[in-house]
């Protein structure tokens, strides 16, 4: 109407993430950095490539059951917020707040610190091939990595998606190389010189399940 005041448009987030970038974010959160740490413990415990893959298959089965349970929760309680929404719906507001508080102040920061330290360790390993990388150097590089990623996340969504796409592609390439090399080793030696102790296999299986815990605390970041 003439003379009517202009009604401001509704404030909303810009849709700057396309389908490929959204898929890269989901895949990148599911494939955590723990997958590059746990295999060493599994292989050290069993002493055989074939038995190590068997342990990983069993750990993957347990993880798949947990994922199906989580999917059922998502269908039963169709709310955004992940663990916070589920705990709040079942147990009430206070437990839900405590879950969200502990996730934001304890779980997510420590997870990011572990991933940054893992990145620093792998980057510095070629520089110090005969010894453990210096404590100060690894911590400084990890802090620099976290600061850089924080600045990128605060500055531009478009740059975040590009960095995520690059890192996801790197993770998939590294996993592909690991899988291929594992299959080559299996073709060379089938279940040879492996420790058959049940206690050793249990310890290796626990190393495999550690990855599930690391992924659990990172995969819901995209939900929040």
């Amino acid at each position: 109407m003439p003379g009517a005041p202009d009604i401001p448009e509704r404030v909303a987030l810009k849709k700057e993430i396309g389908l490929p970038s959204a898929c890269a974010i989901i895949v990148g959160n599911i494939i955590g950095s723990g997958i590059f740490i746990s295999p060493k413990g599994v292989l050290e415990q069993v002493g055989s490539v074939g038995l190590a893959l068997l342990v990983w298959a069993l750990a993957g089965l347990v993880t798949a059951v947990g994922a199906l349970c989580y999917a059922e929760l998502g269908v039963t309680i169709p709310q955004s917020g992940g663990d916070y929404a589920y705990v709040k719906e079942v147990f009430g507001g206070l437990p839900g707040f405590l879950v969200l508080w502990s996730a934001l102040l304890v779980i997510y920061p420590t997870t990011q610190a572990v991933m940054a330290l893992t990145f620093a360790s792998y980057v510095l390993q070629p520089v110090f091939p005969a010894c453990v990388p210096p404590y100060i150097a690894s911590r400084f590089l990890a802090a620099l990595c976290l600061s850089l990623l924080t600045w990128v996340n605060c500055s531009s969504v478009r740059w975040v998606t590009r960095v995520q796409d690059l890192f996801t592609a790197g993770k998939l390439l590294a996993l592909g190389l690991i899988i291929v090399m594992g299959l080559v080793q299996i073709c060379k030696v089938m279940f040879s010189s492996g420790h058959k102790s049940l206690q050793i296999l249990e310890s290796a299986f626990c190393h495999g399940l550690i990855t599930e815990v690391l992924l659990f605390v990172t995969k819901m970041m995209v939900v929040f």
Side-chain angles (χ1 to χ4, degrees), residues 83-85 87-88 92-105:
D83 302 335
Y84 165 73
V87 175
K88 179 182 177 182
L94 180 59
F97 169 77
L98 294 177
V99 168
L100 184 60
W101 178 83
S102 61
L104 293 178
L105 296 182

Side-chain angles (χ1 to χ4, degrees), residues 60-152:
L61 181 61
V62 175
T63 305
V65 173
L68 291 175
C69 296
Y70 216 85
E72 185 176 359
L73 273 176
V75 174
T76 306
I77 307 176
Q79 299 179 10
S80 61
D83 302 335
Y84 165 73
Y86 304 148
V87 175
K88 179 182 177 182
E89 182 72 18
V90 176
F91 299 104
L94 180 59
F97 169 77
L98 294 177
V99 168
L100 184 60
W101 178 83
S102 61
L104 293 178
L105 296 182
V106 180
I107 298 177
Y108 291 163
T110 53
T111 302
Q112 298 301 318
V114 169
M115 290 191 293
L117 290 173
T118 303
F119 169 79
S121 176
Y122 278 102
V123 169
L124 293 177
Q125 194 63 45
V127 183
F128 303 93
C131 62
V132 179
Y135 179 87
I136 297 179
S138 60
R139 267 55 181 178
F140 176 77
L141 184 58
L144 182 63
C145 175
L146 286 177
S147 301
L148 178 61
L149 292 179
T150 302
W151 176 79
V152 172

Side-chain angles (χ1 to χ4, degrees), residues 42-52 189-198 200-201:
V42 174
L43 190 58
E44 286 179 348
Q45 294 295 327
V46 299
S48 170
V49 177
L51 286 177
V189 182
M190 292 293 293
F191 296 89
S192 64
S193 66
H195 305 296
K196 303 304 188 296
S197 173
L198 181 60
I200 295 298
L201 292 178

Side-chain angles (χ1 to χ4, degrees), residues 43 95 125 133 166 176 206 213:
L43 190 58
Q125 194 63 45
L166 180 62
C206 290
V213 178

